[in-house]
Amino acid sequence: MQDSSALAIFLPLALGVIMLGLGLSLTVADFRNVLKHPKAVLVALLCQIVILPIACLGLIYAFGLSPALAVGMMLLAASPGGTSANLYSHLAGGDVALNITLTAINSALALFTLPLIVNFSLIQFFGEGKVIPLQFSKVMQVFVIVLGPVLIGMWLRRRFPDLAARLEKPVKILSAVFLFAVVLVALIQEWDTLVTWAPVVGLATLAFNLISLAVGYFGPRLAGIDRRQATAIGMEIGIHNGTLAIAIALSPVLLNNATMAIPAAIYGLIAFITAAIFGAWLKRKHAVPVTTAG
């Protein structure tokens, strides 16, 4: 990755703003909601934390991806659901309350599972002697950059609910602006790298996205989860937080590798299209037929 003081400053800032926005939308009660849907949440977590990383690992070997792209794919698999999953779930007739609960739980668990999966990937694809794994100091940096703003946002919402309500929308807009600017600069700087690897990793990310949507919806259905909750889980698992993966991959204090960000960047473009098609299919599939009196 090319040295960029702008990226060094704005990437942690962008990630902090994103997590602050998430914190402003969360309360302690959100975490208690897991008790209302224990089976749906447990099935979703099994798909997210166990099945998808294994499937992603299989795709990496099937497509013969380079070590940096392989780590980027695993980073994507370890990332929680994106915030847009809530909107797609709503449009597809899913249980949005379950989406919110899963987003909160997955975001919290990702603080532990994401460093572990990335550390495993670095050792697996680069080798013990060729890479410095995510050491304790880097794990603590993840906690500070990611967890800190979330806790601040939750505290603001509890202590100053009116202020938090007013800040929530501007913070979301600001985070989107930050991310757009950061990703645009990164893509311009690393355009040659993107052009080189997109033809290969594009097919891998498409396959992973389709597998994520299928596992997220049909897995819960096979486990006896109702359609609305399965739709919510499908969107939550099918739309990974690519922006979070990009920020972690590019951040100078974390992975600091532009190639590792490419799978998430391509995935983000693909997922918006495939999720819309999948949601429309679910909506049509489960539409109540109109009957006429005869």
Side-chain angles (χ1 to χ4, degrees), residues 36-204:
K36 297 180 181 179
H37 309 290
K39 183 178 180 180
V41 171
L42 289 175
V43 170
L45 293 179
L46 175 65
C47 293
Q48 173 75 47
I49 298 175
V50 179
I51 297 178
L52 284 190
I54 294 175
C56 186
L57 192 61
L59 288 174
I60 288 168
Y61 286 112
F63 282 90
L65 298 182
S66 68
L69 289 174
V71 173
M73 287 288 291
M74 293 300 290
L75 170 61
L76 180 63
S79 298
T83 54
S84 58
N86 297 339
L87 174 59
Y88 278 98
S89 178
H90 172 70
L91 296 176
D95 185 346
V96 180
L98 177 60
N99 278 106
I100 295 173
T101 301
L102 288 174
T103 298
I105 295 173
N106 275 329
S107 296
L109 288 178
L111 296 173
F112 303 94
T113 59
L114 197 150
L116 290 176
I117 292 175
V118 171
N119 180 61
F120 162 80
S121 303
L122 289 170
I123 296 175
Q124 178 71 18
F125 298 112
F126 282 94
E128 289 280 0
K130 297 181 180 179
V131 69
I132 300 176
L134 284 177
Q135 299 172 343
F136 178 76
S137 61
K138 288 189 178 278
V139 174
M140 290 307 297
Q141 287 172 350
V142 173
F143 272 82
V144 171
I145 295 173
V146 177
L147 182 59
V150 169
L151 293 178
I152 293 173
M154 292 180 66
W155 177 81
L156 284 173
R157 173 160 180 166
R158 182 174 181 178
R159 184 69 177 84
F160 307 103
D162 293 338
L163 175 62
R166 291 196 299 270
L167 285 176
E168 189 171 347
K169 185 175 180 179
V171 168
K172 286 182 180 179
I173 295 174
L174 183 60
S175 65
V177 171
F178 269 136
L179 279 172
F180 177 79
V182 167
V183 173
L184 181 61
V185 170
L187 288 177
I188 292 173
Q189 287 186 336
E190 304 297 333
W191 181 251
D192 290 340
T193 303
L194 180 61
V195 170
T196 300
W197 291 107
V200 177
V201 77
L203 292 175

Side-chain angles (χ1 to χ4, degrees), residues 4-58:
S4 171
S5 58
L7 288 178
I9 296 172
F10 285 108
L11 271 170
L13 180 59
L15 186 56
V17 171
I18 293 170
M19 302 314 293
L20 175 64
L22 177 60
L24 289 173
S25 65
L26 292 176
T27 66
V28 176
D30 291 324
F31 293 92
R32 294 177 183 152
N33 285 340
V34 66
L35 299 177
K36 297 180 181 179
H37 309 290
K39 183 178 180 180
V41 171
L42 289 175
V43 170
L45 293 179
L46 175 65
C47 293
Q48 173 75 47
I49 298 175
V50 179
I51 297 178
L52 284 190
I54 294 175
C56 186
L57 192 61

Side-chain angles (χ1 to χ4, degrees), residues 194-281:
L194 180 61
V195 170
T196 300
W197 291 107
V200 177
V201 77
L203 292 175
T205 53
L206 174 61
F208 179 65
N209 175 237
L210 295 178
I211 289 174
S212 298
L213 289 169
V215 168
Y217 178 76
F218 293 107
R221 291 295 283 156
L222 290 174
I225 305 298
D226 68 55
R227 178 189 62 81
R228 291 187 68 245
Q229 291 187 337
T231 299
I233 296 171
M235 292 302 179
E236 188 71 24
I237 292 177
I239 308 176
H240 292 265
N241 195 334
T243 52
L244 177 62
I246 290 171
I248 292 174
L250 295 181
S251 178
V253 298
L254 297 174
L255 293 175
N256 193 24
N257 189 304
T259 304
M260 293 179 184
I262 290 175
I266 298 175
Y267 182 96
L269 298 175
I270 293 174
F272 283 114
I273 299 172
T274 55
I277 296 173
F278 187 67
W281 176 77

